[in-house]
Amino acid sequence: MAGLARSWSVALQGVDGTVVEIEAAIGGGLPGIHLVGLPDAALHESRDRVRAAVVNSGRHWPNERIVLALSPATLRKAGSGFDLALACAVLAASGTIPQGALHRTALLGELALDGRLRAIRGVLPCLLAARTAGLRRVVVPVAALAEASLVAGLEVHGAGSLAQVVEFLVEGTPLTAPDAVGEAGAPPSPPDLADVVGQSDARHALEVAAAGGHHLLMVGPPGTGKTMLAQRIVGLLPDLPPDDALALAAIRSVAGRLPADGLLSTVPPFVAPHHSTSAAALVGGGSGVARPGAVSLAHRGVLFLDECAEFGPRLLESLRTPLEEGEVRLSRAEGTVTYPARFQLVLAANPCPCAPAHDRDCVCTSLVRRRYLGRLSGPLLDRVDLRCRMHPVTALTSGDQGESTAMVRARVLAARAAATERWAAHGWRTNAEVPGPVLRSRFALSRDALRPLEAGLRAGELTARGADRALRVSWTVADLAGLDRPDRQTVETALYFRDRRAA
């Protein structure tokens, strides 16, 4: 039928894409453009952008009634990324573009009034969805080619204008092809753990946290090295596997944070929001479709909250669900989106508001001190596996220098390899991911090893969740020590790092 044509694009909900079929029907009424299929305001405005872009590209715009239907009709569509697909559907319905040229082709991009093709956010997850749906090729703005080249299995073309796309579809004029994806260069060397003076307990806690993927709280006066230690944990972590690197790149693409070179980064992310940050910036949100926040940008990496006692209680409590489930769900009028948020939480806090170099100089009353760290609620602290108290540095030089990042990282990688081998058949990678019931039943420890945990439960010093987390830490301590399974000493070490007095 001459007056009917179809094209394809992709709608995003979070990092999940859905292929959208765009139908254009011309004729049957007074001239005008009617857009149906739950479009948002930006998509409604595309009617004017598309018409101006087609006319200014030297193509004929039909002076008839045009109906543009976006299916599935029940799915809300948002953003300006449908402009190119809408324009090509109209041109195909008017006979300018052959319908066969649009077969199994996804079209992404925003149109300027003069026909230029502008980049959009979320190209990477859009292409992943197009590949999953069985589309064969995609056309994206030239500015997004580096990002698009990360997806294998698709024929990717880059265009700078609508005119180039029309020539490509009608005459077969080649578009810009993406460069071959090269490997990212060596990342800059992380700061060295040997720079930290003293703090043997905190260094040990950091090593255990890195080896098992555990959450960590450091409490101590200013200048003791809390931030220095937190910044050095990334250097201890293994590189991201390709699937995790691609998932992180998809989140960054939706947030508009993907590097311009498009190369996949295998370095675990380190995200450190300021204590004045908003809830939307921390867990995600905003008007319209909710965007990812710091917890998602730290996926498979580290979220560091410095001066965590200065964060509002509402912000801190909002972390509880992501810590347990590894994802964050955000509901808005346009729908609910889910973003991955499997991160390690590292907290740092002063012991009191005045925070002198030595406790003897503190002028805070006991009530003020209790209230200050009391902003970290019991349920939140119960989800923190390791707590350590840091003490003032008494000497800047020492004959016994701490171990370097390379030395500690070697032990961390060996411990991670042991955990991966043990849990691989069950789908877990680190000890922190193993459910408590599994550790208590199928991988139960001896009665002697469990005695310290049972004593803590009877005394009310541990909750059931805290006991499970101590079990996970004990497995990590055992992996670092080269043991097949935890013994009583490793369990006692895990309980030592859960001492509430450290917080």
PDB file of all heavy atoms in Angstrom, residues 215-220 226-227 230 302-309 311 316 319 323 343-350 376-377 380-381 383-384 386-388 390:
ATOM      1  N   HIS A 215      31.264  -4.780  52.805  1.00  0.00           N
ATOM      2  CA  HIS A 215      31.119  -3.361  53.110  1.00  0.00           C
ATOM      3  C   HIS A 215      31.978  -3.012  54.325  1.00  0.00           C
ATOM      4  O   HIS A 215      32.182  -3.835  55.223  1.00  0.00           O
ATOM      5  CB  HIS A 215      29.657  -3.020  53.377  1.00  0.00           C
ATOM      6  CG  HIS A 215      28.727  -3.518  52.295  1.00  0.00           C
ATOM      7  ND1 HIS A 215      28.910  -3.204  50.971  1.00  0.00           N
ATOM      8  CD2 HIS A 215      27.625  -4.318  52.346  1.00  0.00           C
ATOM      9  CE1 HIS A 215      27.958  -3.777  50.247  1.00  0.00           C
ATOM     10  NE2 HIS A 215      27.176  -4.468  51.053  1.00  0.00           N
ATOM     11  N   LEU A 216      32.446  -1.757  54.369  1.00  0.00           N
ATOM     12  CA  LEU A 216      33.449  -1.362  55.359  1.00  0.00           C
ATOM     13  C   LEU A 216      33.116   0.002  55.950  1.00  0.00           C
ATOM     14  O   LEU A 216      32.694   0.916  55.222  1.00  0.00           O
ATOM     15  CB  LEU A 216      34.833  -1.318  54.687  1.00  0.00           C
ATOM     16  CG  LEU A 216      36.002  -0.724  55.466  1.00  0.00           C
ATOM     17  CD1 LEU A 216      36.329  -1.576  56.691  1.00  0.00           C
ATOM     18  CD2 LEU A 216      37.233  -0.607  54.562  1.00  0.00           C
ATOM     19  N   LEU A 217      33.283   0.135  57.250  1.00  0.00           N
ATOM     20  CA  LEU A 217      33.146   1.416  57.954  1.00  0.00           C
ATOM     21  C   LEU A 217      34.438   1.713  58.690  1.00  0.00           C
ATOM     22  O   LEU A 217      34.943   0.864  59.434  1.00  0.00           O
ATOM     23  CB  LEU A 217      31.982   1.361  58.949  1.00  0.00           C
ATOM     24  CG  LEU A 217      31.909   2.498  59.984  1.00  0.00           C
ATOM     25  CD1 LEU A 217      31.648   3.845  59.295  1.00  0.00           C
ATOM     26  CD2 LEU A 217      30.831   2.211  61.030  1.00  0.00           C
ATOM     27  N   MET A 218      34.981   2.921  58.473  1.00  0.00           N
ATOM     28  CA  MET A 218      36.176   3.372  59.179  1.00  0.00           C
ATOM     29  C   MET A 218      35.822   4.605  60.005  1.00  0.00           C
ATOM     30  O   MET A 218      35.261   5.568  59.471  1.00  0.00           O
ATOM     31  CB  MET A 218      37.296   3.715  58.187  1.00  0.00           C
ATOM     32  CG  MET A 218      37.789   2.538  57.380  1.00  0.00           C
ATOM     33  SD  MET A 218      39.045   2.991  56.142  1.00  0.00           S
ATOM     34  CE  MET A 218      38.010   3.800  54.904  1.00  0.00           C
ATOM     35  N   VAL A 219      36.143   4.556  61.292  1.00  0.00           N
ATOM     36  CA  VAL A 219      35.868   5.672  62.198  1.00  0.00           C
ATOM     37  C   VAL A 219      37.176   6.117  62.826  1.00  0.00           C
ATOM     38  O   VAL A 219      37.948   5.293  63.335  1.00  0.00           O
ATOM     39  CB  VAL A 219      34.871   5.260  63.308  1.00  0.00           C
ATOM     40  CG1 VAL A 219      34.626   6.432  64.255  1.00  0.00           C
ATOM     41  CG2 VAL A 219      33.557   4.801  62.702  1.00  0.00           C
ATOM     42  N   GLY A 220      37.442   7.420  62.767  1.00  0.00           N
ATOM     43  CA  GLY A 220      38.674   7.937  63.342  1.00  0.00           C
ATOM     44  C   GLY A 220      38.773   9.433  63.162  1.00  0.00           C
ATOM     45  O   GLY A 220      38.045  10.022  62.357  1.00  0.00           O
ATOM     46  N   LYS A 226      41.647   7.808  56.491  1.00  0.00           N
ATOM     47  CA  LYS A 226      40.404   7.131  56.085  1.00  0.00           C
ATOM     48  C   LYS A 226      40.169   7.285  54.579  1.00  0.00           C
ATOM     49  O   LYS A 226      39.909   6.302  53.869  1.00  0.00           O
ATOM     50  CB  LYS A 226      39.216   7.704  56.867  1.00  0.00           C
ATOM     51  CG  LYS A 226      39.321   7.567  58.376  1.00  0.00           C
ATOM     52  CD  LYS A 226      38.063   8.008  59.074  1.00  0.00           C
ATOM     53  CE  LYS A 226      37.779   9.477  58.911  1.00  0.00           C
ATOM     54  NZ  LYS A 226      38.762  10.344  59.561  1.00  0.00           N
ATOM     55  N   THR A 227      40.251   8.509  54.088  1.00  0.00           N
ATOM     56  CA  THR A 227      40.024   8.746  52.661  1.00  0.00           C
ATOM     57  C   THR A 227      41.127   8.124  51.819  1.00  0.00           C
ATOM     58  O   THR A 227      40.869   7.560  50.750  1.00  0.00           O
ATOM     59  CB  THR A 227      39.934  10.262  52.387  1.00  0.00           C
ATOM     60  OG1 THR A 227      38.890  10.826  53.201  1.00  0.00           O
ATOM     61  CG2 THR A 227      39.637  10.543  50.926  1.00  0.00           C
ATOM     62  N   ALA A 230      40.364   4.446  51.495  1.00  0.00           N
ATOM     63  CA  ALA A 230      39.212   4.199  50.625  1.00  0.00           C
ATOM     64  C   ALA A 230      39.593   4.352  49.158  1.00  0.00           C
ATOM     65  O   ALA A 230      39.167   3.561  48.306  1.00  0.00           O
ATOM     66  CB  ALA A 230      38.076   5.151  50.988  1.00  0.00           C
ATOM     67  N   VAL A 302      32.944   0.605  43.797  1.00  0.00           N
ATOM     68  CA  VAL A 302      32.929   1.090  45.179  1.00  0.00           C
ATOM     69  C   VAL A 302      32.146   2.391  45.264  1.00  0.00           C
ATOM     70  O   VAL A 302      32.353   3.313  44.464  1.00  0.00           O
ATOM     71  CB  VAL A 302      34.369   1.317  45.691  1.00  0.00           C
ATOM     72  CG1 VAL A 302      34.357   1.918  47.093  1.00  0.00           C
ATOM     73  CG2 VAL A 302      35.150   0.007  45.673  1.00  0.00           C
ATOM     74  N   LEU A 303      31.237   2.460  46.226  1.00  0.00           N
ATOM     75  CA  LEU A 303      30.559   3.712  46.589  1.00  0.00           C
ATOM     76  C   LEU A 303      31.144   4.178  47.912  1.00  0.00           C
ATOM     77  O   LEU A 303      31.008   3.493  48.930  1.00  0.00           O
ATOM     78  CB  LEU A 303      29.051   3.496  46.709  1.00  0.00           C
ATOM     79  CG  LEU A 303      28.247   4.732  47.132  1.00  0.00           C
ATOM     80  CD1 LEU A 303      28.256   5.787  46.031  1.00  0.00           C
ATOM     81  CD2 LEU A 303      26.803   4.357  47.488  1.00  0.00           C
ATOM     82  N   PHE A 304      31.811   5.323  47.905  1.00  0.00           N
ATOM     83  CA  PHE A 304      32.482   5.835  49.093  1.00  0.00           C
ATOM     84  C   PHE A 304      31.735   7.048  49.618  1.00  0.00           C
ATOM     85  O   PHE A 304      31.560   8.042  48.910  1.00  0.00           O
ATOM     86  CB  PHE A 304      33.927   6.218  48.748  1.00  0.00           C
ATOM     87  CG  PHE A 304      34.678   6.863  49.879  1.00  0.00           C
ATOM     88  CD1 PHE A 304      34.674   6.312  51.153  1.00  0.00           C
ATOM     89  CD2 PHE A 304      35.400   8.035  49.677  1.00  0.00           C
ATOM     90  CE1 PHE A 304      35.358   6.904  52.201  1.00  0.00           C
ATOM     91  CE2 PHE A 304      36.093   8.636  50.708  1.00  0.00           C
ATOM     92  CZ  PHE A 304      36.071   8.070  51.973  1.00  0.00           C
ATOM     93  N   LEU A 305      31.284   6.961  50.861  1.00  0.00           N
ATOM     94  CA  LEU A 305      30.618   8.076  51.523  1.00  0.00           C
ATOM     95  C   LEU A 305      31.542   8.621  52.595  1.00  0.00           C
ATOM     96  O   LEU A 305      31.644   8.067  53.696  1.00  0.00           O
ATOM     97  CB  LEU A 305      29.284   7.632  52.137  1.00  0.00           C
ATOM     98  CG  LEU A 305      28.244   7.026  51.186  1.00  0.00           C
ATOM     99  CD1 LEU A 305      26.936   6.786  51.925  1.00  0.00           C
ATOM    100  CD2 LEU A 305      28.017   7.911  49.971  1.00  0.00           C
ATOM    101  N   ASP A 306      32.246   9.685  52.265  1.00  0.00           N
ATOM    102  CA  ASP A 306      33.133  10.335  53.227  1.00  0.00           C
ATOM    103  C   ASP A 306      32.296  11.220  54.136  1.00  0.00           C
ATOM    104  O   ASP A 306      31.308  11.811  53.703  1.00  0.00           O
ATOM    105  CB  ASP A 306      34.181  11.158  52.484  1.00  0.00           C
ATOM    106  CG  ASP A 306      35.383  11.465  53.360  1.00  0.00           C
ATOM    107  OD1 ASP A 306      35.451  10.939  54.488  1.00  0.00           O
ATOM    108  OD2 ASP A 306      36.264  12.219  52.904  1.00  0.00           O
ATOM    109  N   GLU A 307      32.697  11.320  55.398  1.00  0.00           N
ATOM    110  CA  GLU A 307      31.924  12.060  56.401  1.00  0.00           C
ATOM    111  C   GLU A 307      30.474  11.577  56.364  1.00  0.00           C
ATOM    112  O   GLU A 307      29.525  12.359  56.262  1.00  0.00           O
ATOM    113  CB  GLU A 307      31.994  13.571  56.135  1.00  0.00           C
ATOM    114  CG  GLU A 307      33.388  14.143  56.055  1.00  0.00           C
ATOM    115  CD  GLU A 307      34.141  14.042  57.373  1.00  0.00           C
ATOM    116  OE1 GLU A 307      33.507  13.758  58.417  1.00  0.00           O
ATOM    117  OE2 GLU A 307      35.371  14.222  57.373  1.00  0.00           O
ATOM    118  N   CYS A 308      30.295  10.260  56.464  1.00  0.00           N
ATOM    119  CA  CYS A 308      28.959   9.692  56.287  1.00  0.00           C
ATOM    120  C   CYS A 308      27.968  10.157  57.342  1.00  0.00           C
ATOM    121  O   CYS A 308      26.753  10.171  57.092  1.00  0.00           O
ATOM    122  CB  CYS A 308      29.029   8.164  56.264  1.00  0.00           C
ATOM    123  SG  CYS A 308      29.672   7.425  57.785  1.00  0.00           S
ATOM    124  N   ALA A 309      28.454  10.561  58.524  1.00  0.00           N
ATOM    125  CA  ALA A 309      27.536  11.044  59.557  1.00  0.00           C
ATOM    126  C   ALA A 309      26.924  12.392  59.183  1.00  0.00           C
ATOM    127  O   ALA A 309      25.951  12.833  59.813  1.00  0.00           O
ATOM    128  CB  ALA A 309      28.269  11.161  60.898  1.00  0.00           C
ATOM    129  N   PHE A 311      25.680  12.922  56.144  1.00  0.00           N
ATOM    130  CA  PHE A 311      24.576  12.639  55.231  1.00  0.00           C
ATOM    131  C   PHE A 311      23.274  12.588  56.026  1.00  0.00           C
ATOM    132  O   PHE A 311      23.246  12.142  57.170  1.00  0.00           O
ATOM    133  CB  PHE A 311      24.792  11.298  54.525  1.00  0.00           C
ATOM    134  CG  PHE A 311      25.787  11.335  53.404  1.00  0.00           C
ATOM    135  CD1 PHE A 311      27.153  11.345  53.671  1.00  0.00           C
ATOM    136  CD2 PHE A 311      25.379  11.358  52.078  1.00  0.00           C
ATOM    137  CE1 PHE A 311      28.085  11.367  52.646  1.00  0.00           C
ATOM    138  CE2 PHE A 311      26.294  11.389  51.046  1.00  0.00           C
ATOM    139  CZ  PHE A 311      27.649  11.401  51.319  1.00  0.00           C
ATOM    140  N   LEU A 316      20.869   7.957  53.953  1.00  0.00           N
ATOM    141  CA  LEU A 316      21.547   6.745  54.399  1.00  0.00           C
ATOM    142  C   LEU A 316      20.601   5.545  54.393  1.00  0.00           C
ATOM    143  O   LEU A 316      20.976   4.445  53.989  1.00  0.00           O
ATOM    144  CB  LEU A 316      22.140   6.956  55.786  1.00  0.00           C
ATOM    145  CG  LEU A 316      23.283   7.986  55.873  1.00  0.00           C
ATOM    146  CD1 LEU A 316      23.650   8.255  57.323  1.00  0.00           C
ATOM    147  CD2 LEU A 316      24.502   7.492  55.100  1.00  0.00           C
ATOM    148  N   LEU A 319      19.886   3.507  51.207  1.00  0.00           N
ATOM    149  CA  LEU A 319      20.882   2.546  50.725  1.00  0.00           C
ATOM    150  C   LEU A 319      20.565   1.116  51.140  1.00  0.00           C
ATOM    151  O   LEU A 319      21.165   0.175  50.613  1.00  0.00           O
ATOM    152  CB  LEU A 319      22.272   2.917  51.256  1.00  0.00           C
ATOM    153  CG  LEU A 319      22.847   4.259  50.809  1.00  0.00           C
ATOM    154  CD1 LEU A 319      24.159   4.527  51.532  1.00  0.00           C
ATOM    155  CD2 LEU A 319      23.057   4.280  49.308  1.00  0.00           C
ATOM    156  N   LEU A 323      21.706  -2.341  49.031  1.00  0.00           N
ATOM    157  CA  LEU A 323      22.724  -3.176  49.664  1.00  0.00           C
ATOM    158  C   LEU A 323      22.280  -4.635  49.736  1.00  0.00           C
ATOM    159  O   LEU A 323      23.085  -5.549  49.583  1.00  0.00           O
ATOM    160  CB  LEU A 323      23.031  -2.660  51.074  1.00  0.00           C
ATOM    161  CG  LEU A 323      23.875  -1.380  51.173  1.00  0.00           C
ATOM    162  CD1 LEU A 323      23.979  -0.927  52.615  1.00  0.00           C
ATOM    163  CD2 LEU A 323      25.252  -1.598  50.589  1.00  0.00           C
ATOM    164  N   PHE A 343      27.194  -2.858  44.478  1.00  0.00           N
ATOM    165  CA  PHE A 343      28.402  -2.108  44.794  1.00  0.00           C
ATOM    166  C   PHE A 343      28.914  -2.470  46.184  1.00  0.00           C
ATOM    167  O   PHE A 343      28.196  -3.057  46.995  1.00  0.00           O
ATOM    168  CB  PHE A 343      28.133  -0.602  44.739  1.00  0.00           C
ATOM    169  CG  PHE A 343      27.049  -0.147  45.693  1.00  0.00           C
ATOM    170  CD1 PHE A 343      27.349   0.245  46.980  1.00  0.00           C
ATOM    171  CD2 PHE A 343      25.721  -0.127  45.294  1.00  0.00           C
ATOM    172  CE1 PHE A 343      26.358   0.651  47.868  1.00  0.00           C
ATOM    173  CE2 PHE A 343      24.717   0.268  46.154  1.00  0.00           C
ATOM    174  CZ  PHE A 343      25.029   0.654  47.448  1.00  0.00           C
ATOM    175  N   GLN A 344      30.165  -2.111  46.425  1.00  0.00           N
ATOM    176  CA  GLN A 344      30.736  -2.195  47.771  1.00  0.00           C
ATOM    177  C   GLN A 344      30.608  -0.831  48.422  1.00  0.00           C
ATOM    178  O   GLN A 344      31.000   0.187  47.838  1.00  0.00           O
ATOM    179  CB  GLN A 344      32.211  -2.569  47.702  1.00  0.00           C
ATOM    180  CG  GLN A 344      32.481  -4.055  47.711  1.00  0.00           C
ATOM    181  CD  GLN A 344      33.972  -4.336  47.774  1.00  0.00           C
ATOM    182  OE1 GLN A 344      34.586  -4.595  46.755  1.00  0.00           O
ATOM    183  NE2 GLN A 344      34.544  -4.286  48.965  1.00  0.00           N
ATOM    184  N   LEU A 345      30.087  -0.809  49.619  1.00  0.00           N
ATOM    185  CA  LEU A 345      29.922   0.436  50.352  1.00  0.00           C
ATOM    186  C   LEU A 345      31.096   0.624  51.301  1.00  0.00           C
ATOM    187  O   LEU A 345      31.405  -0.256  52.108  1.00  0.00           O
ATOM    188  CB  LEU A 345      28.617   0.424  51.138  1.00  0.00           C
ATOM    189  CG  LEU A 345      28.305   1.673  51.964  1.00  0.00           C
ATOM    190  CD1 LEU A 345      28.122   2.888  51.060  1.00  0.00           C
ATOM    191  CD2 LEU A 345      27.068   1.449  52.826  1.00  0.00           C
ATOM    192  N   VAL A 346      31.763   1.768  51.185  1.00  0.00           N
ATOM    193  CA  VAL A 346      32.841   2.128  52.107  1.00  0.00           C
ATOM    194  C   VAL A 346      32.442   3.435  52.775  1.00  0.00           C
ATOM    195  O   VAL A 346      32.194   4.442  52.103  1.00  0.00           O
ATOM    196  CB  VAL A 346      34.185   2.284  51.378  1.00  0.00           C
ATOM    197  CG1 VAL A 346      35.273   2.724  52.358  1.00  0.00           C
ATOM    198  CG2 VAL A 346      34.591   0.974  50.706  1.00  0.00           C
ATOM    199  N   LEU A 347      32.357   3.414  54.091  1.00  0.00           N
ATOM    200  CA  LEU A 347      31.956   4.585  54.879  1.00  0.00           C
ATOM    201  C   LEU A 347      33.139   5.074  55.692  1.00  0.00           C
ATOM    202  O   LEU A 347      33.948   4.282  56.179  1.00  0.00           O
ATOM    203  CB  LEU A 347      30.808   4.216  55.831  1.00  0.00           C
ATOM    204  CG  LEU A 347      29.535   3.628  55.215  1.00  0.00           C
ATOM    205  CD1 LEU A 347      28.624   3.104  56.315  1.00  0.00           C
ATOM    206  CD2 LEU A 347      28.808   4.666  54.386  1.00  0.00           C
ATOM    207  N   ALA A 348      33.230   6.397  55.849  1.00  0.00           N
ATOM    208  CA  ALA A 348      34.250   6.998  56.706  1.00  0.00           C
ATOM    209  C   ALA A 348      33.588   8.077  57.547  1.00  0.00           C
ATOM    210  O   ALA A 348      32.748   8.841  57.043  1.00  0.00           O
ATOM    211  CB  ALA A 348      35.386   7.590  55.871  1.00  0.00           C
ATOM    212  N   ALA A 349      33.932   8.124  58.823  1.00  0.00           N
ATOM    213  CA  ALA A 349      33.293   9.094  59.721  1.00  0.00           C
ATOM    214  C   ALA A 349      34.261   9.525  60.803  1.00  0.00           C
ATOM    215  O   ALA A 349      35.147   8.760  61.213  1.00  0.00           O
ATOM    216  CB  ALA A 349      32.044   8.493  60.359  1.00  0.00           C
ATOM    217  N   ASN A 350      34.100  10.769  61.261  1.00  0.00           N
ATOM    218  CA  ASN A 350      34.787  11.231  62.459  1.00  0.00           C
ATOM    219  C   ASN A 350      34.030  10.724  63.673  1.00  0.00           C
ATOM    220  O   ASN A 350      32.831  10.464  63.603  1.00  0.00           O
ATOM    221  CB  ASN A 350      34.842  12.761  62.480  1.00  0.00           C
ATOM    222  CG  ASN A 350      35.703  13.315  61.364  1.00  0.00           C
ATOM    223  OD1 ASN A 350      36.734  12.747  61.025  1.00  0.00           O
ATOM    224  ND2 ASN A 350      35.277  14.415  60.771  1.00  0.00           N
ATOM    225  N   LEU A 376      23.870   6.911  61.850  1.00  0.00           N
ATOM    226  CA  LEU A 376      24.011   5.618  61.180  1.00  0.00           C
ATOM    227  C   LEU A 376      23.143   4.629  61.950  1.00  0.00           C
ATOM    228  O   LEU A 376      23.499   4.182  63.034  1.00  0.00           O
ATOM    229  CB  LEU A 376      25.469   5.160  61.183  1.00  0.00           C
ATOM    230  CG  LEU A 376      26.485   6.139  60.579  1.00  0.00           C
ATOM    231  CD1 LEU A 376      27.894   5.593  60.744  1.00  0.00           C
ATOM    232  CD2 LEU A 376      26.176   6.392  59.123  1.00  0.00           C
ATOM    233  N   SER A 377      21.989   4.314  61.421  1.00  0.00           N
ATOM    234  CA  SER A 377      21.027   3.500  62.156  1.00  0.00           C
ATOM    235  C   SER A 377      21.524   2.077  62.346  1.00  0.00           C
ATOM    236  O   SER A 377      22.404   1.591  61.613  1.00  0.00           O
ATOM    237  CB  SER A 377      19.690   3.479  61.403  1.00  0.00           C
ATOM    238  OG  SER A 377      19.822   2.750  60.192  1.00  0.00           O
ATOM    239  N   LEU A 380      21.202  -0.143  59.229  1.00  0.00           N
ATOM    240  CA  LEU A 380      22.232   0.120  58.220  1.00  0.00           C
ATOM    241  C   LEU A 380      23.569  -0.464  58.652  1.00  0.00           C
ATOM    242  O   LEU A 380      24.261  -1.131  57.863  1.00  0.00           O
ATOM    243  CB  LEU A 380      22.362   1.627  57.982  1.00  0.00           C
ATOM    244  CG  LEU A 380      23.462   2.045  56.996  1.00  0.00           C
ATOM    245  CD1 LEU A 380      23.183   1.488  55.602  1.00  0.00           C
ATOM    246  CD2 LEU A 380      23.598   3.561  56.933  1.00  0.00           C
ATOM    247  N   LEU A 381      23.943  -0.237  59.917  1.00  0.00           N
ATOM    248  CA  LEU A 381      25.215  -0.772  60.408  1.00  0.00           C
ATOM    249  C   LEU A 381      25.222  -2.295  60.391  1.00  0.00           C
ATOM    250  O   LEU A 381      26.277  -2.916  60.227  1.00  0.00           O
ATOM    251  CB  LEU A 381      25.472  -0.266  61.832  1.00  0.00           C
ATOM    252  CG  LEU A 381      25.931   1.189  61.960  1.00  0.00           C
ATOM    253  CD1 LEU A 381      26.078   1.561  63.424  1.00  0.00           C
ATOM    254  CD2 LEU A 381      27.252   1.398  61.225  1.00  0.00           C
ATOM    255  N   ARG A 383      24.220  -4.079  58.141  1.00  0.00           N
ATOM    256  CA  ARG A 383      24.563  -4.508  56.785  1.00  0.00           C
ATOM    257  C   ARG A 383      26.025  -4.233  56.440  1.00  0.00           C
ATOM    258  O   ARG A 383      26.463  -4.565  55.341  1.00  0.00           O
ATOM    259  CB  ARG A 383      23.653  -3.804  55.777  1.00  0.00           C
ATOM    260  CG  ARG A 383      22.205  -4.285  55.834  1.00  0.00           C
ATOM    261  CD  ARG A 383      21.275  -3.363  55.057  1.00  0.00           C
ATOM    262  NE  ARG A 383      19.950  -3.952  54.861  1.00  0.00           N
ATOM    263  CZ  ARG A 383      18.972  -3.931  55.749  1.00  0.00           C
ATOM    264  NH1 ARG A 383      19.174  -3.345  56.931  1.00  0.00           N
ATOM    265  NH2 ARG A 383      17.809  -4.486  55.491  1.00  0.00           N
ATOM    266  N   VAL A 384      26.735  -3.594  57.347  1.00  0.00           N
ATOM    267  CA  VAL A 384      28.164  -3.313  57.145  1.00  0.00           C
ATOM    268  C   VAL A 384      28.961  -4.442  57.784  1.00  0.00           C
ATOM    269  O   VAL A 384      28.872  -4.682  58.982  1.00  0.00           O
ATOM    270  CB  VAL A 384      28.546  -1.948  57.751  1.00  0.00           C
ATOM    271  CG1 VAL A 384      30.034  -1.697  57.584  1.00  0.00           C
ATOM    272  CG2 VAL A 384      27.746  -0.830  57.084  1.00  0.00           C
ATOM    273  N   LEU A 386      32.373  -4.998  58.029  1.00  0.00           N
ATOM    274  CA  LEU A 386      33.647  -4.732  58.701  1.00  0.00           C
ATOM    275  C   LEU A 386      33.638  -3.326  59.275  1.00  0.00           C
ATOM    276  O   LEU A 386      33.281  -2.364  58.584  1.00  0.00           O
ATOM    277  CB  LEU A 386      34.808  -4.870  57.704  1.00  0.00           C
ATOM    278  CG  LEU A 386      34.930  -6.209  56.970  1.00  0.00           C
ATOM    279  CD1 LEU A 386      35.802  -6.056  55.752  1.00  0.00           C
ATOM    280  CD2 LEU A 386      35.491  -7.267  57.896  1.00  0.00           C
ATOM    281  N   ARG A 387      34.054  -3.208  60.529  1.00  0.00           N
ATOM    282  CA  ARG A 387      34.160  -1.897  61.167  1.00  0.00           C
ATOM    283  C   ARG A 387      35.522  -1.808  61.829  1.00  0.00           C
ATOM    284  O   ARG A 387      35.951  -2.749  62.504  1.00  0.00           O
ATOM    285  CB  ARG A 387      33.064  -1.711  62.219  1.00  0.00           C
ATOM    286  CG  ARG A 387      31.664  -1.987  61.688  1.00  0.00           C
ATOM    287  CD  ARG A 387      30.665  -2.126  62.818  1.00  0.00           C
ATOM    288  NE  ARG A 387      29.415  -2.692  62.341  1.00  0.00           N
ATOM    289  CZ  ARG A 387      28.428  -3.082  63.126  1.00  0.00           C
ATOM    290  NH1 ARG A 387      28.558  -2.993  64.448  1.00  0.00           N
ATOM    291  NH2 ARG A 387      27.331  -3.587  62.615  1.00  0.00           N
ATOM    292  N   CYS A 388      36.169  -0.700  61.618  1.00  0.00           N
ATOM    293  CA  CYS A 388      37.482  -0.561  62.251  1.00  0.00           C
ATOM    294  C   CYS A 388      37.656   0.847  62.811  1.00  0.00           C
ATOM    295  O   CYS A 388      37.179   1.830  62.233  1.00  0.00           O
ATOM    296  CB  CYS A 388      38.613  -0.889  61.274  1.00  0.00           C
ATOM    297  SG  CYS A 388      38.717   0.204  59.858  1.00  0.00           S
ATOM    298  N   MET A 390      40.196   3.788  63.741  1.00  0.00           N
ATOM    299  CA  MET A 390      41.518   4.281  63.340  1.00  0.00           C
ATOM    300  C   MET A 390      42.040   5.245  64.395  1.00  0.00           C
ATOM    301  O   MET A 390      41.277   6.035  64.967  1.00  0.00           O
ATOM    302  CB  MET A 390      41.431   4.952  61.967  1.00  0.00           C
ATOM    303  CG  MET A 390      40.961   3.978  60.884  1.00  0.00           C
ATOM    304  SD  MET A 390      40.900   4.673  59.239  1.00  0.00           S
ATOM    305  CE  MET A 390      42.640   4.987  58.923  1.00  0.00           C
TER     306      MET A 390
END
